């Protein structure tokens, strides 16, 4: 299975919703930590995708010259 930004963001939203619905402090905290981890993975993947797109753009520009 290929990891996508959409998948990571969906997981973060799910964990956040579960945290908000929980009446137990430790469960809420666990879900908030999980949501933060999923968000960090999404942010990292977005950053990587942007860097890759820039690298491809520069390579295409160099090849066109």
């Amino acid at each position: 299975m290929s990891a996508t930004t959409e998948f990571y963001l969906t997981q973060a939203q799910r964990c956040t919703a579960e945290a908000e619905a929980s009446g137990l402090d430790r469960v809420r905290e666990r879900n908030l930590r999980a949501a933060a981890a999923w968000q960090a993975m999404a942010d990292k993947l977005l950053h990587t995708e942007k860097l890759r797109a820039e690298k491809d753009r520069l390579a295409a520009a160099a090849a066109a010259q």
Side-chain angles (χ1 to χ4, degrees):
M1 180 176 140
S2 178
T4 64
T5 306
E6 182 179 332
F7 174 75
Y8 290 151
L9 292 173
T10 300
Q11 293 301 105
Q13 290 170 350
R14 183 184 59 81
C15 290
T16 300
E18 288 178 9
E20 292 171 355
S22 177
L24 302 172
D25 290 341
R26 289 184 182 173
V27 173
R28 184 174 29 263
E29 290 169 7
R30 181 191 67 213
N31 281 309
L32 290 175
R33 285 192 309 272
W38 285 114
Q39 184 65 53
M41 287 186 274
D43 294 344
K44 184 175 181 180
L45 184 55
L46 282 171
H47 180 69
T48 300
E49 290 170 349
K50 287 178 186 177
L51 291 176
R52 186 175 296 129
E54 180 66 13
K55 180 182 174 185
D56 291 346
R57 186 189 68 74
L58 290 173
Q65 290 181 355

